[in-house]
Amino acid sequence: MRISLTTSKNNTMRKQIAAANWKMNLTYQQAEKLLDEMIATPHELKDGQLAIFAVPFPYLQLANEKLGGKKNVFVAAQNCYNKKSGAYTGEVSVEMLTSMNIEYVVLGHSERREYFNESNQLLAEKINICLDNNINPIFCCGESLSIREANTQNDFVGKQLEESLYHLSAEQIQKIVIAYEPIWAIGTGKTASSEQAQEMHAFIRSQLAKKYGNDIAENITILYGGSVKGNNAAELFSQKDVDGGLVGGASLNATEFVAIINALK
Ligand code: PEP
């Protein structure tokens, strides 16, 4: 399912997205219940607004069955491997995902960078294989608390973008959704202030503009992630360069996640 984009309130063509990252949570039965609750809770996705559900691999088909065909709703994977196919026991290829009509994959989440040693270079390879197979990466970046305290977050995030994305063509970069997720705000209940989020999003967009030009940079969706909840989403999303959120904990509760969807601008 492809959607047509219309100019949104910020006068750009960029999509506004509420993306759920379930991480390694929920049994099959709990996942089924949550999806049913999500569907039953009234929410509205206007043109140019998307809800994306990044569910664990074993639940992709279930999510497809429950959400498939719903307007502007997509099912995503939380990871994929950087090789096409073969003897890589336990890994999941992009071909497997496209064969299930999956169109988005979360890449470079800080948990994968930390616990699975994913480097900027490896992520560049994963980005390439996704784009070659018509999958849109949701590329996560963001700094640790010590980097923020040293005030070197721009250099750090700039390097993540440069090493994983800047080999892409102008056409390819427009297929990427960027998620800025300061590590100190993930799962901690400590949200970046809307000013901190806007400042980093504007920096990211300025770097993209330097590399690809203003028009392209203006049309790239940049999500904020880090303790987004129903009661802080509207304030965060009201910022000029914040185009929605990548949501962990609060996406496990239908009422919370629907409030976040309804906060999209
Ligand atoms: C995340 O997992 O990407 C995330 C931002 O988690 P949380 O919303 O729980 O901070």
Side-chain angles (χ1 to χ4, degrees), residues 99-211:
S99 71
M100 298 180 74
N101 299 317
I102 300 301
E103 295 182 35
Y104 286 88
V105 174
V106 177
L107 289 179
H109 194 283
S110 58
E111 289 150 16
R112 294 215 57 88
R113 291 175 187 265
E114 184 181 349
Y115 306 132
F116 303 96
N117 297 318
E118 295 203 356
S119 65
N120 292 339
Q121 288 70 25
L122 175 78
L123 292 169
E125 291 176 22
K126 290 190 176 191
I127 298 256
N128 291 345
I129 201 160
C130 281
L131 293 175
D132 288 347
N133 288 277
N134 291 322
I135 289 193
N136 304 293
I138 300 174
F139 174 75
C140 304
C141 56
E143 80 286 355
S144 64
L145 185 59
S146 59
I147 291 170
R148 170 67 57 167
E149 283 172 350
N151 202 25
T152 53
Q153 65 271 14
N154 288 5
D155 289 346
F156 184 84
V157 171
K159 192 162 183 265
Q160 289 182 318
L161 300 177
E162 187 183 336
E163 293 187 353
S164 295
L165 300 183
Y166 287 1
H167 62 286
L168 299 177
S169 68
E171 194 193 329
Q172 288 174 317
I173 193 79
Q174 297 179 72
K175 300 193 170 125
I176 308 283
V177 172
I178 294 177
Y180 167 59
E181 299 207 303
I183 298 168
W184 46 272
I186 297 178
T188 58
K190 189 175 190 294
T191 319
S193 67
S194 50
E195 291 78 19
Q196 284 172 319
Q198 168 56 27
E199 200 176 19
M200 178 56 87
H201 283 226
F203 169 74
I204 291 171
R205 207 177 297 288
S206 74
Q207 296 305 105
L208 293 168
K210 262 196 211 156
K211 174 76 185 161

